[in-house]
Amino acid sequence: MKNLLLLILIIFSLSSCGEECYNAPQPVVFEFVNSNNENLIADGSLSPFYVRDENKNLVQTTTTSDHKIIIENIGAYNGTKKYTFYSPIREFNFDVESSEYKGGCNGFQIKKITFTGYAIDITDESGFYKIVLK
């Protein structure tokens, strides 16, 4: 009887996802290159760069060891937010549309990212966006 009660307790505790479970949105990663496919972070020509949200708040960014930029902590909301990327070479806008995660846990997922700006080409690579600035 004790073993059965213990088994039921373990199964219940493993199956209750509730408030302890959270799915963060996938990271948004950019790689910036010129028309010759040379990385603009690696050669230093993109610095200084920064991102602001629609309320003009700075958004944290992280540069990776392979010279890509992670835009931190975006997409954890329902709806669409506007962002602007600023650099000495180019500035452009992008909108992030996200929604609540529909799974066993709480969280958010990015549904779509839309880019607008002059003279940029963007391809959705596997796990990051490759942005060609001309």
Side-chain angles (χ1 to χ4, degrees):
M1 183 68 171
K2 282 184 177 181
N3 289 340
L4 181 60
L5 187 57
L6 183 59
L7 180 63
I8 291 172
L9 183 61
I10 290 172
I11 291 172
F12 178 73
S13 66
L14 291 176
S15 67
S16 64
C17 189
E19 312 236 352
E20 297 174 15
C21 184
Y22 177 75
N23 288 318
Q26 292 292 318
V28 174
V29 181
F30 295 159
E31 178 183 43
F32 292 94
V33 296
N34 61 19
S35 56
N36 296 324
N37 204 35
E38 298 165 329
N39 189 293
L40 298 173
I41 299 285
D43 73 10
S45 59
L46 197 65
S47 294
F49 60 85
Y50 59 97
V51 176
R52 290 196 183 270
D53 67 14
E54 59 195 5
N55 297 318
K56 306 297 183 204
N57 297 315
L58 278 175
V59 176
Q60 183 179 352
T61 59
T62 301
T63 303
T64 65
S65 61
D66 60 348
H67 308 292
K68 292 179 178 74
I69 298 171
I70 300 172
I71 314 297
E72 302 284 350
N73 304 317
I74 63 174
Y77 46 80
N78 271 324
T80 302
K81 282 194 176 182
K82 298 178 181 300
Y83 298 89
T84 304
F85 179 88
Y86 299 92
S87 77
I89 297 175
R90 185 86 57 239
E91 71 181 55
F92 62 88
N93 299 312
F94 61 101
D95 298 346
V96 177
E97 180 184 341
S98 60
S99 64
E100 284 188 64
Y101 179 76
K102 302 296 184 200
C105 300
N106 296 327
F108 296 93
Q109 62 186 354
I110 294 175
K111 295 175 72 175
K112 181 170 77 169
I113 298 179
T114 306
F115 295 89
T116 55
Y118 180 74
I120 56 173
D121 292 325
I122 299 161
T123 55
D124 186 354
E125 302 289 326
S126 182
F128 66 94
Y129 291 92
K130 186 173 193 175
I131 301 172
V132 181
L133 299 178
K134 298 176 182 176

